[in-house]
C-alpha cells in the first residue's frame, strides 16, 4: 500500500509564500521514517531540518512541493463566498499534491476547525478517492506527515533567505518577530504600498497601511 503525508509551512506569516509539501512512501518503509527521528518541523533546528530533508527524499518514492504566493492568499482571504477562504485554498493545494502522488491512503494536517470537512474539501478536488485521514496536529501524530512538514519548512526557509537577499533582514516573516514588524514599518515610510512578498490581507498589515495613508492625506 502507498501512503502519503501532506503538511504546510508559513500559513500564519505575513511575508512570503505558504509552502505545502507531500511525500509518498510504501507502507513497509514507514518504519524508516520513524528511525530517522522525523517530528514536527517546528521542534527541530534549521540545521537538523536541512539534514533530514536529504534523508527523507532518499526514503520516499515521490515528493512534491507547491508554493502559494501572497497574491493568491490575499485573493482567498478577501473572497466573500463562505468557506472559500484560506482553508479552502489550502485544501485545493493539498489536493493538487495528492493528485500527483496518487496514494492509497493519505494523512493530512487539517487546517479547518472541522477535520472531516477539510477532508471533504480535499476529496472534492480529486479525480480518484484515496482514504483521507484529516487530523489536527497530524505532524505530531503521524511520521509521514512529519516528513512532509520538514520538507515544507525547509523550502519555506529557503524562500525567506531569497527575500532577505532582495529586501534585507525581514526576520522570519511572522508578525511576532520584531524584525518583521520593523521591516513593514520602515518600508511604508518610503513606499506607497507593500512589496509583492507581503500578504496585504493580514489585519495588522492592512491597519498599518491604512494608518499610513490617513497620515499622508492629513499632510495634504
Amino acid at each position: 500500500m502507498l501512503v502519503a503525508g501532506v503538511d504546510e509551512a508559513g500559513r500564519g506569516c505575513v511575508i512570503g509564500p505558504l509552502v505545502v509539501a507531500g511525500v509518498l512512501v510504501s507502507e513497509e518503509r514507514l518504519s524508516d521514517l520513524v528511525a530517522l527521528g522525523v517530528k514536527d518541523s517546528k521542534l527541530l533546528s534549521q540545521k537538523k531540518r536541512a539534514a533530514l530533508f536529504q534523508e527523507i527524499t532518499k526514503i520516499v518514492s515521490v515528493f512534491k512541493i507547491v508554493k502559494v504566493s501572497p497574491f493568491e492568499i490575499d485573493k482567498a482571504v478577501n473572497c466573500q463566498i463562505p468557506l472559500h477562504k484560506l482553508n479552502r485554498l489550502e485544501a485545493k493545494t493539498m489536493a493538487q499534491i495528492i493528485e500527483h502522488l496518487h496514494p492509497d491512503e493519505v494523512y493530512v494536517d487539517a487546517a479547518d476547525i472541522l477535520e472531516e470537512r477539510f477532508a471533504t474539501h480535499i476529496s472534492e478536488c480529486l479525480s480518484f478517492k484515496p482514504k483521507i485521514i484529516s487530523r489536527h496536529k497530524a505532524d505530531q501524530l503521524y511520521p509521514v506527515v512529519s516528513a512532509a512538514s520538514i520538507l515544507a519548512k525547509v523550502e519555506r526557509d529557503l524562500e525567506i533567505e531569497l527575500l532577505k537577499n532582495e529586501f534585507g533582514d525581514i526576520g522570519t516573516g511572522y508578525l511576532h518577530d520584531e524584525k518583521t514588524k520593523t521591516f513593514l514599518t520602515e518600508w511604508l515610510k518610503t513606499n506607497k504600498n507593500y512589496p509583492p512578498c507581503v500578504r496585504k490581507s493580514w489585519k495588522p498589515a492592512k491597519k498599518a497601511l491604512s494608518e499610513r495613508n490617513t497620515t499622508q492625506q492629513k499632510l495634504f
Side-chain angles (χ1 to χ4, degrees), residues 100-120:
H100 178 81
L101 301 178
H102 221 277
D104 301 303
E105 185 173 89
V106 57
Y107 294 81
V108 303
D109 196 1
D112 197 319
I113 191 171
L114 299 179
E115 296 169 328
E116 290 306 316
R117 181 169 66 187
F118 191 67
T120 298

Side-chain angles (χ1 to χ4, degrees), residues 57-105:
T57 55
K58 293 175 184 177
I59 291 173
V60 302
S61 305
V62 187
F63 70 92
K64 185 174 179 60
I65 300 172
V66 175
K67 290 172 281 190
V68 184
S69 72
F71 174 80
E72 294 174 275
I73 292 168
D74 288 340
K75 185 177 178 181
V77 172
N78 292 324
C79 180
Q80 299 303 308
I81 304 174
L83 297 180
H84 280 75
K85 293 183 178 285
L86 185 55
N87 288 352
R88 183 62 71 92
L89 175 61
E90 190 171 322
K92 288 180 178 179
T93 307
M94 287 190 174
Q96 178 186 343
I97 290 172
I98 294 166
E99 191 75 35
H100 178 81
L101 301 178
H102 221 277
D104 301 303
E105 185 173 89

Side-chain angles (χ1 to χ4, degrees), residues 6-176:
V6 187
D7 198 9
E8 55 76 24
R11 178 183 168 94
C13 65
V14 69
I15 296 177
L18 167 69
V19 179
V20 186
V23 299
L24 181 72
V25 63
S26 58
E27 188 175 25
E28 57 268 23
R29 297 216 66 183
L30 286 172
S31 59
D32 293 334
L33 290 177
V34 175
L36 274 183
V38 297
K39 61 177 70 175
D40 176 3
S41 62
K42 296 185 289 296
L43 303 176
L44 299 167
S45 68
Q46 187 170 0
K47 183 178 180 180
K48 182 64 174 177
R49 289 194 297 264
L52 284 173
F53 185 106
Q54 299 301 323
E55 296 303 316
I56 290 167
T57 55
K58 293 175 184 177
I59 291 173
V60 302
S61 305
V62 187
F63 70 92
K64 185 174 179 60
I65 300 172
V66 175
K67 290 172 281 190
V68 184
S69 72
F71 174 80
E72 294 174 275
I73 292 168
D74 288 340
K75 185 177 178 181
V77 172
N78 292 324
C79 180
Q80 299 303 308
I81 304 174
L83 297 180
H84 280 75
K85 293 183 178 285
L86 185 55
N87 288 352
R88 183 62 71 92
L89 175 61
E90 190 171 322
K92 288 180 178 179
T93 307
M94 287 190 174
Q96 178 186 343
I97 290 172
I98 294 166
E99 191 75 35
H100 178 81
L101 301 178
H102 221 277
D104 301 303
E105 185 173 89
V106 57
Y107 294 81
V108 303
D109 196 1
D112 197 319
I113 191 171
L114 299 179
E115 296 169 328
E116 290 306 316
R117 181 169 66 187
F118 191 67
T120 298
H121 287 165
I122 291 173
S123 181
E124 289 171 349
C125 300
L126 295 173
S127 64
F128 70 111
K129 298 302 175 186
K131 181 179 180 181
I132 301 174
I133 298 90
S134 171
R135 296 288 183 271
H136 299 138
K137 300 187 183 301
D139 51 356
Q140 298 176 22
L141 299 172
Y142 308 109
V144 71
V145 182
S146 301
S149 169
I150 291 167
L151 266 57
K153 182 60 175 163
V154 169
E155 185 65 28
R156 161 80 188 170
D157 289 343
L158 291 173
E159 288 292 316
I160 291 298
E161 288 305 312
L162 290 174
L163 291 174
K164 286 181 179 180
N165 291 337
E166 183 175 357
F167 296 104
D169 195 350
I170 60 172
T172 59
Y174 288 86
L175 277 166
H176 59 71

Side-chain angles (χ1 to χ4, degrees), residues 196-213:
C197 64
V198 175
R199 302 179 191 179
K200 302 173 181 66
S201 58
W202 259 224
K203 288 182 180 179
K206 288 173 69 174
K207 181 181 178 183
L209 182 60
S210 176
E211 289 173 350
R212 181 244 183 225
N213 289 339

